[in-house]
Amino acid sequence: MNTKTTLAAALASMLAMAAGMPTAAAAAAATAPAKAPALHVQEHGSAGRPLILVPGLGGGAWVWAGLLPHLQAHHQVYVVTLPGFDGTAAPAGGNFTQQAEDALADLIRTRHVTKPVLVGHSLGGTVSLKLASDHPELVGGVVAVDGLPVFPGTENLPAEQRPAMAAAMQARMQGLTPAQFEAQQVGFMHSMGVLDPAQAERYGKRNAASDPKVVAQYMAEDLALDFRDALAHANVPLLEISPYNPPDFASGPQAMSEQQKADYYRSLLAKAPQVKVVSIAPARHFVMFDQKEKLEVALDDFMARLPSPTAEH
């Protein structure tokens, strides 16, 4: 087994154990078309390059609260919450991930947001990358904070096996009681989410405010996705943030160096014409909590290098 395969398997195993799902699980989520639901949107700031902040699985606007004072000082900021997360109404049906992408596109068009930079965490990063692949004319760039075009560790899975894997995971998650769902979310935060145990308790319970069935479907759809080839159409600057906490990768099947993890992420984004991977350490999945200042520096550097919206036309 080569290094890349070992890293992929290790990451998939870690994520699967943290989420309480089988590593070889699952199946395609609903694909029936449905109208994109309205996003819950908060606006901050009034001038500068617009940013759209998209939280990840189960997250709400609270995910970005620590970054907002810094970002809104220089940018017009739209903070969205995906339907069904953080106490918002769930989508009526269909493919939730596609609806989220469509809703972001509608936000950009209807509010006449000129070439925004999408900053997405986890699932939010995945949706942002997909929007840039499908509609590069709408965006000025993407920052994906530990969000990728394919779920780590599943990139070599045959396409025909993805639906079964996703369905098994979705069924398992949908069978959880509210108490079990909260315990799962808190457990994930302790094992992979954040470094500080007190924050893990607090933010795990915040995530558990989301609809478990909605979380299960989004997760299943994420597992079923693989749009690496489509990234060739995302002809905009992309920044991938790769978090790394040395003790988490010190031994066992998940053992890898910081450079190896960044290189692995880079390989999953290889089709993108303009991509840069920046590692931030020590940090876990919620980089904005573990290393807020380092993430701010990475964002500022990325924004400073972008062409102006007028120059892009």
Side-chain angles (χ1 to χ4, degrees):
M1 184 178 289
N2 62 32
T3 300
K4 188 179 293 185
T5 304
T6 304
L7 299 184
L11 285 169
S13 178
M14 290 175 69
L15 288 168
M17 289 186 293
M21 65 187 181
T23 49
T31 55
K35 184 181 184 299
L39 295 170
H40 184 271
V41 183
Q42 299 177 8
E43 291 188 45
H44 304 269
S46 57
R49 185 71 175 252
L51 303 177
I52 299 178
L53 309 186
V54 190
L57 193 70
W62 53 269
V63 169
W64 305 107
L67 291 175
L68 265 178
H70 178 79
L71 295 179
Q72 70 183 10
H74 307 286
H75 302 282
Q76 185 177 16
V77 183
Y78 300 83
V79 186
V80 306
T81 300
L82 301 182
F85 291 167
D86 201 34
T88 61
N95 186 293
F96 294 174
T97 305
Q98 185 59 54
Q99 290 176 54
E101 179 190 344
D102 293 343
L104 284 171
D106 287 347
L107 170 67
I108 294 168
R109 292 187 183 109
T110 58
R111 302 207 186 188
H112 307 288
V113 185
T114 304
K115 294 287 186 177
V117 172
L118 305 181
V119 183
H121 174 240
S122 192
L123 173 69
T126 298
V127 172
S128 298
L129 288 170
K130 193 167 185 301
L131 178 59
S133 301
D134 294 338
H135 300 286
E137 74 282 358
L138 293 180
V139 303
V142 173
V143 179
V145 182
D146 212 12
L148 293 158
V150 62
F151 197 86
T154 70
E155 65 273 9
N156 296 320
L157 191 72
E160 61 272 15
Q161 292 183 19
R162 287 183 178 276
M165 183 187 72
M169 187 282 307
Q170 184 174 1
R172 181 180 177 118
M173 284 190 70
Q174 286 183 335
L176 297 177
T177 66
Q180 288 171 330
F181 179 65
E182 180 176 300
Q184 181 198 71
Q185 296 301 304
V186 171
F188 173 82
M189 284 292 186
H190 275 286
S191 63
M192 294 186 65
V194 293
L195 297 173
D196 180 78
Q199 286 189 334
E201 285 290 322
R202 182 163 66 253
Y203 295 132
K205 290 177 180 178
R206 289 296 302 267
N207 255 17
S210 295
D211 186 323
K213 289 183 171 56
V214 173
V215 171
Q217 180 164 327
Y218 270 114
M219 185 67 191
E221 291 170 359
D222 193 22
L223 283 169
L225 272 178
D226 181 1
F227 59 93
R228 285 174 290 170
D229 288 345
L231 282 177
H233 305 296
N235 194 22
V236 296
L238 307 180
L239 173 65
E240 177 71 36
I241 301 295
S242 171
Y244 186 81
N245 183 44
D248 293 342
F249 298 95
S251 60
Q254 71 270 22
M256 67 185 85
S257 69
E258 184 172 0
Q259 187 62 54
Q260 284 177 318
K261 185 168 185 278
D263 288 345
Y264 171 57
Y265 275 25
R266 192 175 291 107
S267 74
L268 300 180
L269 297 156
K271 296 291 179 72
Q274 306 177 58
V275 63
K276 180 180 181 181
V277 177
V278 171
S279 180
I280 294 183
R284 284 178 166 166
H285 188 54
F286 284 79
V287 185
M288 65 286 294
F289 299 141
D290 289 337
Q291 295 292 344
K292 180 177 75 73
E293 290 79 11
K294 288 184 180 180
L295 181 56
E296 288 173 349
V297 169
L299 288 170
D300 289 348
D301 181 68
F302 178 75
M303 298 297 294
R305 295 171 187 271
L306 290 179
S308 71
T310 17
E312 294 173 39
H313 284 296

